[in-house]
């Protein structure tokens, strides 16, 4: 918490002239978190949005509630610290939208707020609203087949308890992981009989474990930090804070688990009987996730579209950071599903709510298919005319025939950031303008900018004028330069935070809202403590990850310049418990690793268990203590080993984003 937050709160009142309350019960000035009310410009922008909003009818609301079996108003999820989190904190999302929330996002948040156990079709159920994702239960001949057991053991436990209470008590005999994102497998332990995968079929797409590992380990630290922005983890929940992700309420990132697949899906169509139920799998890699599947249940004529179709436009690029996705392949898989399963009567998905009836299902699938294809083709059309990413994003709009279906609108992905993703997929980050080839980095650029506009006071005047006229995008650019020039300028920080508040309040996209509001919060209060979340999050995953990848991750933590200045080193790591030996060679600041016979002249040979090594790698154990303890059997130089571990950068899970 920054010491001057009271002063900032007072300042915020002074710079938000003419602002009334932003909704029923909303304070006229900053609230207890410092969040400012919706400005006149924001209230007007949201009112204009409501007037021109093209979506009609109540079918979406009917579908989101259809088949409700039971709903627990408390919906409480236990937290690892012994407390609990009640998803019912989202109950404030009802009635008309407050001025501080985009009306279209408000509508989506209401739809995602329907929670409980729902019957989708004969023998198909879904628990929705306990996490950002859904857990589906399909009745087999002897037991239950669970699809996508949520993000964490705690949320999956709560969701499974609801299902258990109202469904017949047969055991779980199979689990399907539709793809490699954590909100679809992290809670698996909670649904396995006695927490053990023994005797349970685990079905996943080919390369599932490899992709889980690569996405969450190699770039995991930065992605985790950025995901806090994407999902608004540290935002208060309320009309000036977190409302919805667009894709679902909010992930519950607590204790995660994983189970190794017994059956892999690697082609289309792949027919399989699971506990007597016929499944037709569609293999859809490199779409929404690098490893993904969908399936069709011919008996119910129900298509589970996993996450390649959703009741929102999805991300071709996610703002937490991930490899850009292939719009053409993604759209192609949906087209393939339309042709392959022409009798479809129901589409159910791993997020949001199902679509019922043949015509509505086909309409929905076509809309999703054409949304990604339209963005793809039109981005390239404009790029081939010489337009650059920001120019394309500024002019591209979905045609009315797509935009009038809420499912195609940008609640999670957006036209603007997806268009830039498509550009990046084909052309990379460079827009071909030489001025953008080697521009100054943020602090240097900020100083020169502020100087060029006549100094900090002049820059602030211009920024305030921009804010007064509702030009928040321009104000953000000016103020960002100011904050990077002088991060201790409290007035500049609060002006930028207020600007981010307003950009967040106007965003139709749930992720944009979270990103802006998290930026505002960190400008006001600094970066919150992350605690041991990272370790708990990664703990069980790390145990499943191939050692090879572990060393690859270690190589990305080597301080290259420091290592290059030292002697070349080599080490043998002998893992007696898993029967693997890995050889490490460090030279030119680069760490190479390979599995193979130990090197005879290595600086040291270390005999270690996997569990202990994991502690070393994550910094959980004191390295110096460990290197000199009996737990580690070392032949050769313990000093060389210690200096090697000293080359690994500490992991900073709370790096600055909105300040230098
Ligand atoms: Zn998901």
């Amino acid at each position: 918490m920054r010491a001057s937050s009271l002063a900032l709160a007072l300042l915020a009142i002074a710079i938000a002239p003419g602002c009334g309350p932003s909704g029923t019960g909303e304070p006229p000035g900053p609230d207890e978190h410092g969040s400012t009310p919706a400005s006149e410009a924001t209230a007007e922008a949201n009112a204009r949005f409501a007037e021109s909003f093209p979506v009609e009818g109540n079918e979406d609301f009917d579908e989101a509630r259809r088949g409700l079996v039971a709903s627990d108003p408390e919906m409480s999820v236990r937290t690892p610290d012994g407390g609990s989190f009640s998803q019912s904190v989202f109950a404030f999302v009802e009635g008309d939208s407050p001025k501080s929330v985009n009306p279209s996002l408000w509508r989506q948040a209401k739809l995602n707020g329907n929670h409980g156990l729902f019957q989708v079709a004969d023998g198909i159920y879904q628990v929705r609203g306990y996490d950002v994702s859904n857990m589906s239960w399909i009745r087999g001949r002897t037991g239950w087949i669970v699809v996508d057991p949520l993000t964490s053991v705690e949320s999956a436990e709560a969701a499974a308890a609801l299902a258990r209470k109202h469904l017949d008590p047969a055991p779980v005999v199979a689990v399907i992981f539709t793809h490699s994102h954590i909100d679809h497998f992290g809670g698996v332990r909670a649904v396995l009989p006695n927490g053990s995968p023994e005797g349970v079929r685990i079905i996943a797409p080919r390369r599932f474990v490899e992709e889980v590992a690569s996405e969450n380990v190699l770039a995991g630290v930065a992605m985790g930090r950025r995901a806090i922005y994407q999902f608004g983890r540290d935002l208060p929940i309320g009309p000036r804070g977190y409302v919805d992700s667009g894709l679902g309420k909010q992930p519950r990132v607590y204790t995660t688990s994983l189970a190794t697949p017994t059956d892999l899906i690697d082609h289309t169509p792949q027919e399989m009987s699971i506990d007597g139920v016929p499944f037709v799998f569609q293999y859809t890699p490199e779409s929404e996730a690098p490893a993904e599947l969908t399936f069709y249940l011919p008996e119910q004529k129900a298509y589970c579209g996993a996450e390649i179709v959703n009741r929102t436009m999805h991300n071709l690029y996610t703002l937490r950071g991930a490899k850009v996705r292939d719009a053409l392949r993604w759209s192609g898989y949906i087209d393939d599903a339309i042709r392959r399963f022409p009798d479809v009567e129901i589409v159910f998905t791993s997020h949001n709510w199902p679509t019922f009836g043949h015509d509505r299902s086909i309409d929905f699938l076509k809309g999703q298919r054409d949304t990604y294809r339209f963005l793809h083709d039109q981005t390239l059309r404009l790029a081939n005319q010489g337009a650059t990413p920001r120019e394309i994003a500024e002019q591209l709009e979905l045609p009315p025939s797509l935009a009038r279906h809420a499912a195609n609108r940008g609640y999670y992905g957006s036209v603007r950031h997806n268009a830039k993703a498509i550009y990046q997929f084909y052309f990379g980050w460079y827009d071909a303008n030489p001025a953008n080839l080697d521009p100054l980095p943020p602090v240097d650029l900020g100083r020169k900018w502020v100087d060029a506009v006549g100094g900090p006071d002049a820059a602030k005047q211009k920024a305030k004028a921009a804010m007064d006229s509702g030009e928040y995008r321009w104000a953000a650019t000016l103020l960002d330069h100011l904050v990077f020039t002088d991060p201790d300028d409290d007035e500049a920080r609060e002006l930028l935070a207020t600007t981010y508040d307003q950009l967040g309040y106007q965003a139709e996209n749930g992720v944009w809202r979270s990103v802006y509001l998290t930026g505002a919060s960190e400008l006001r209060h600094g970066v919150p403590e992350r605690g041991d979340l990272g370790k708990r999050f990664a703990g069980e995953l790390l145990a499943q990850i191939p050692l090879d990848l572990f060393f690859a991750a270690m190589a990305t933590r080597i301080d290259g310049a420091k290592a290059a200045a030292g002697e070349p080193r080599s080490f043998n790591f002998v893992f007696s418990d898993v029967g693997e030996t890995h050889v490490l060679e460090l030279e030119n600041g680069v760490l190479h690793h390979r599995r193979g016979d130990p090197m005879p002249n290595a600086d040291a040979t270390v005999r270690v268990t996997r569990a202990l090594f994991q502690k070393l790698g994550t910094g959980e154990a004191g390295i110096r203590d460990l290197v000199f303890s009996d737990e580690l059997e070392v032949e050769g130089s313990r000093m060389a080993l210690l200096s090697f571990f000293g080359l690994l950068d500490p992991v900073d899970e709370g790096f600055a984003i909105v300040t230098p």
Side-chain angles (χ1 to χ4, degrees):
M1 177 74 73
R2 284 166 61 81
S4 54
S5 57
L6 178 66
L8 292 178
L10 295 171
L11 177 67
I13 298 171
I15 58 170
C19 297
S22 63
T24 326
E26 279 291 289
D31 62 16
E32 75 263 37
H33 308 286
S35 302
T36 53
S39 67
E40 296 261 317
T42 292
E44 275 167 27
N46 283 340
R48 271 199 309 277
F49 201 103
E51 274 165 33
S52 61
F53 186 63
V55 180
E56 288 167 5
N58 281 323
E59 287 101 328
D60 295 350
F61 287 90
D62 295 341
E63 286 182 322
R65 284 191 286 258
R66 182 163 159 174
L68 179 68
V69 176
S71 175
D72 172 7
E74 287 307 311
M75 273 207 296
S76 173
V77 174
R78 157 181 92 79
T79 55
D81 59 10
S84 66
F85 177 88
S86 174
Q87 293 276 87
S88 61
V89 292
F90 291 106
F92 73 94
V93 183
E94 55 162 20
D96 292 340
S97 58
K99 290 174 184 170
S100 55
V101 183
N102 175 288
S104 175
L105 177 61
W106 188 252
R107 179 183 182 276
Q108 182 80 352
K110 278 188 195 170
L111 287 161
N112 281 332
N114 287 288
H115 58 85
L117 174 69
F118 297 82
Q119 181 168 26
V120 176
D122 215 21
I124 306 175
Y125 297 84
Q126 281 192 316
V127 184
R128 302 202 284 266
Y130 280 71
D131 204 307
V132 74
S133 42
N134 302 330
M135 187 195 282
S136 303
W137 292 64
I138 299 169
R139 187 64 165 95
R141 301 295 179 256
T142 67
W144 289 100
I145 302 154
V146 172
V147 185
D148 287 354
L150 308 186
T151 309
S152 65
V153 174
E154 291 85 351
S155 58
E157 257 170 17
L162 182 73
R164 288 289 185 205
K165 195 171 163 192
H166 300 281
L167 299 179
D168 74 68
V172 171
V173 293
V175 173
I176 298 174
F177 297 137
T178 62
H179 61 289
S180 51
H181 293 152
I182 192 149
D183 51 322
H184 302 271
F185 65 82
V188 64
R189 201 171 48 186
V191 304
L192 295 173
N194 306 313
S196 158
E198 195 73 34
V200 177
R201 276 179 91 174
I202 311 278
I203 296 120
R206 192 173 86 84
R207 290 190 53 77
F208 171 79
V209 172
E210 291 87 334
E211 295 300 343
V212 165
S214 103
E215 190 154 88
N216 294 299
V217 177
L218 277 188
V221 175
M223 217 179 269
R225 173 80 176 108
R226 295 170 57 139
I228 291 173
Y229 274 65
Q230 168 157 348
F231 289 110
R233 191 201 73 180
D234 298 321
L235 292 177
I237 290 167
R240 289 187 196 172
Y242 188 84
V243 168
D244 197 88
S245 75
L247 195 61
K249 276 287 128 233
Q250 198 175 32
R252 302 261 59 90
V253 187
Y254 303 138
T255 310
T256 54
S257 58
L258 183 62
T260 308
T262 59
D263 296 74
L264 292 178
I265 301 305
D266 62 3
H267 63 277
T268 307
Q270 188 166 340
E271 292 181 22
M272 190 186 279
S273 169
I274 305 174
D275 195 31
V277 179
F279 278 72
V280 183
F281 284 98
Q282 185 192 20
Y283 179 51
T284 61
E286 304 302 334
S287 54
E288 185 267 332
E292 188 145 0
L293 60 76
T294 73
F295 58 84
Y296 186 66
L297 296 164
E299 288 180 352
Q300 292 94 341
K301 298 184 176 166
Y303 175 62
C304 171
E307 203 168 327
I308 73 165
V309 290
N310 304 274
R311 299 297 290 255
T312 170
M313 180 195 298
H314 207 288
N315 286 306
L316 295 173
Y317 167 75
T318 84
L319 300 186
R320 74 179 147 87
K323 292 174 191 167
V324 169
R325 296 160 185 171
D326 186 339
L328 205 51
R329 282 180 86 158
W330 188 334
S331 174
Y333 291 134
I334 306 173
D335 187 54
D336 177 64
I338 293 169
R339 278 160 218 300
R340 197 172 286 284
F341 312 120
D343 299 332
V344 65
E345 288 292 337
I346 297 164
V347 181
F348 67 106
T349 47
S350 297
H351 291 276
N352 307 121
W353 57 94
T355 304
F356 296 93
H358 176 77
D359 291 349
R360 259 183 87 77
S361 293
I362 294 291
D363 247 25
F364 165 60
L365 292 174
K366 281 184 173 173
Q368 290 279 288
R369 174 194 68 181
D370 294 345
T371 293
Y372 301 116
R373 186 63 196 259
F374 183 88
L375 292 178
H376 174 272
D377 292 353
Q378 297 307 309
T379 297
L380 287 181
R381 179 178 72 87
L382 293 168
N384 283 327
Q385 289 170 8
T388 54
R390 278 183 283 174
E391 291 165 337
I392 295 169
E394 201 69 24
Q395 60 181 291
L396 201 55
E397 268 180 34
L398 286 183
S401 60
L402 290 173
R404 72 187 164 81
H405 293 291
N408 306 324
R409 299 185 69 87
Y411 299 113
Y412 189 55
S414 76
V415 170
R416 289 224 174 137
H417 76 255
N418 279 341
K420 290 174 183 169
I422 294 160
Y423 189 97
Q424 190 198 322
F425 187 85
Y426 287 95
F427 304 102
W429 61 268
Y430 178 49
D431 66 2
N433 179 347
N436 297 329
L437 179 60
D438 195 24
L440 292 169
V443 172
D444 294 340
L445 183 65
R447 286 203 184 111
K448 294 198 180 285
W449 251 83
V450 170
D451 188 49
V453 297
D457 290 339
K460 267 178 230 175
Q461 287 316 315
K462 288 186 198 304
K464 284 178 191 170
M467 290 168 76
D468 285 344
S469 58
E471 288 181 276
Y472 293 113
R473 289 166 72 195
W474 168 229
T477 301
L478 270 170
L479 292 162
D480 177 56
H481 286 317
L482 258 171
V483 169
F484 271 73
T485 303
D486 180 7
D488 294 325
D489 183 337
D490 285 346
E491 190 189 7
R493 285 175 80 119
E494 180 50 43
L495 286 167
L496 182 54
T498 302
T499 298
Y500 285 160
D501 282 344
Q502 304 307 318
L503 285 167
Y505 298 161
Q506 291 185 29
E508 183 182 26
N509 186 287
V511 177
W512 283 38
R513 179 182 173 93
S514 294
V515 162
Y516 282 128
L517 297 187
T518 302
S521 174
E522 292 192 358
L523 281 164
R524 293 187 175 112
H525 310 300
V527 179
E529 282 295 314
R530 192 167 154 85
D532 64 344
L533 185 90
K535 277 172 209 144
R536 203 170 46 234
F537 178 69
E540 261 185 62
L541 293 192
L542 288 178
Q544 301 277 346
I545 283 160
L547 281 165
D548 194 47
L549 200 80
F550 219 102
F551 285 113
M554 194 183 244
T556 67
R557 285 178 52 204
I558 293 280
D559 181 335
K562 203 163 135 191
E567 290 288 305
R569 294 285 185 199
S570 57
F571 303 97
N572 301 314
F573 279 84
V574 182
F575 295 88
S576 36
D577 54 343
V578 289
E580 287 183 25
T581 297
H582 291 256
V583 178
L584 270 62
E585 286 186 276
L586 179 68
E587 196 171 1
N588 298 321
V590 177
L591 181 68
H592 290 282
H593 64 99
R594 63 173 187 277
R595 201 176 151 181
D597 293 334
M599 254 172 100
N601 302 324
D603 289 289
T605 296
V606 186
R607 279 170 217 287
V608 66
T609 61
R610 205 196 137 113
L612 190 61
F613 176 71
Q614 208 166 293
K615 281 192 196 167
L616 276 171
T618 54
E620 257 181 87
I623 287 176
R624 169 166 264 285
D625 294 345
L626 206 60
V627 166
F628 289 101
S629 78
D630 294 339
E631 278 191 83
L632 214 61
E633 206 183 300
V634 182
E635 207 177 286
S637 169
R638 282 181 195 258
M639 281 313 292
L641 190 64
L642 187 65
S643 68
F644 166 69
F645 280 115
L647 294 171
L648 297 176
D649 266 350
V651 173
D652 178 6
E653 292 177 337
F655 55 76
I657 290 179
V658 287
T659 54

